[in-house]
Amino acid sequence: YMGTQFMIHTNPARFAMNLTVIDCHAAGEPARVVVDGFPPVPGDSMLEKRNYIMEHLDHIRKLLLTEPRGYPCQNANIIFPSKVAAWGVVIMEHNKVYPAMSGHNMICVATALLQTGRVEMKYPETNFTLEAPVGLINIRAKCHNGKATQITLTNAPSFVEHLDVQVNVPQVSPYALLCICVYLCICVFVCVFVSLQCIALVMFRTQVWCKLPSHIVRLGM
C-alpha cells in the first residue's frame, strides 16, 4: 500500500531541510520513502553512500524515524540515481541500523517508484532492478490500472560464514556447537546447540547486539 506524498520540514534555526516522502507499508510493515530533498551524498555505489550517511548524516535518520515525525516501528528509504540499476536505495532503521537489504522496504520502494512514475509502469508486468548496499535486487511487479498490485523480488545470494564452530561456555555446558549463517552481511543467524538438549536461535542485526545473558559469548563481528 502507498499513502499520500507529503513534506517534512525542519526548524530553520537548527538546519534547513524540506524532504518529500511517501509513507507505505507491506502487509503492515511500514516504510517511509524519501523521493526528494535529501542532500547530495558522495559515493559511486549504494554501499559507499550508506557508509557516508551513517558517519555524517545520521541526524536525518533521527528526523525521519523519531517523534514527532516518526514512531518506533518506522523505517526510511532514501532513493538515489544509480549507475547500475533503475534506482538505488539506502535503508534506515532505528538504533542507527542501516541494513544492507530489507525485503519489505524494497517492496515499498518499488511500489512508490512505480506509482509516482519514477519507473515506467508497463502492463501487465514491469521488470526492473534496484541497487541496495548489498548489491542488485531484481523486481517483478504486476501492475493494473496505475497501481502495482504485487511485487516479487529476487534477493542477492546468501552464504555460510562458519559451520559447527565449537565455543567453550563453561557456565552453560562444557561445549557448545555454533552454526553461523551470514546472510548478505545483513543478518547473522546463530544456532547454538548446548549438549544436544537446548537449541537457541539468536538474530544479530548489523551493528546491533541483542541483549544476551552474560554467560553467552559475544561474537566478534
Side-chain angles (χ1 to χ4, degrees):
Y1 170 81
M2 189 186 84
T4 304
Q5 181 171 295
F6 64 98
M7 299 284 291
I8 289 180
H9 305 280
T10 61
N11 182 354
R14 298 183 61 192
F15 61 94
M17 181 177 297
N18 295 320
L19 301 174
T20 304
V21 304
I22 303 171
D23 276 1
C24 309
H25 75 82
E29 291 285 347
R32 175 166 285 170
V33 183
V34 180
V35 295
D36 195 20
F38 203 86
V41 177
D44 293 329
S45 67
M46 293 307 113
L47 180 60
E48 292 178 356
K49 291 181 182 295
R50 167 187 177 267
N51 294 342
Y52 182 90
I53 293 171
M54 289 174 63
E55 291 296 322
H56 303 285
L57 299 174
D58 190 61
H59 60 282
I60 303 180
R61 179 191 61 81
K62 296 177 182 177
L63 170 76
L64 290 164
L65 301 186
T66 58
E67 294 183 357
R69 301 171 184 88
Y71 57 98
C73 293
Q74 186 62 280
N75 302 278
N77 301 270
I78 317 301
I79 64 169
F80 295 99
S82 169
K83 297 180 179 180
V84 295
W87 287 90
V89 185
V90 173
I91 308 161
M92 300 172 166
E93 297 183 358
H94 280 275
N95 299 316
K96 202 177 181 180
V97 175
Y98 288 78
M101 169 54 188
S102 167
H104 95 271
N105 279 290
M106 213 54 52
I107 290 171
C108 291
V109 168
T111 301
L113 292 173
L114 284 163
Q115 293 186 199
T116 59
R118 289 173 171 83
V119 170
E120 182 183 359
M121 188 176 290
K122 299 178 181 179
Y123 301 100
E125 186 174 284
T126 306
N127 294 277
F128 60 101
T129 302
L130 294 175
E131 181 191 357
V134 76
L136 298 180
I137 310 299
N138 294 320
I139 304 294
R140 184 171 77 250
K142 291 185 178 180
C143 303
H144 177 72
N145 197 27
K147 293 186 179 295
T149 59
Q150 180 178 318
I151 304 291
T152 302
L153 60 88
T154 302
N155 211 336
S158 304
F159 61 93
V160 175
E161 177 70 11
H162 301 289
L163 187 63
D164 295 337
V165 178
Q166 293 192 14
V167 177
N168 184 20
V169 189
Q171 297 91 337
V172 178
S173 172
Y175 69 93
L177 294 180
L178 280 69
C179 176
I180 303 174
C181 177
V182 179
Y183 176 60
L184 307 176
C185 302
I186 310 166
C187 300
V188 179
F189 293 89
V190 182
C191 299
V192 182
F193 300 87
V194 181
S195 299
L196 302 180
Q197 296 176 352
C198 176
I199 300 176
L201 177 62
V202 182
M203 184 179 77
F204 293 91
R205 299 301 296 265
T206 304
Q207 300 180 11
V208 174
W209 295 105
C210 301
K211 292 183 178 179
L212 300 177
S214 58
H215 59 263
I216 299 296
V217 176
R218 172 169 163 172
L219 300 178
M221 292 175 50

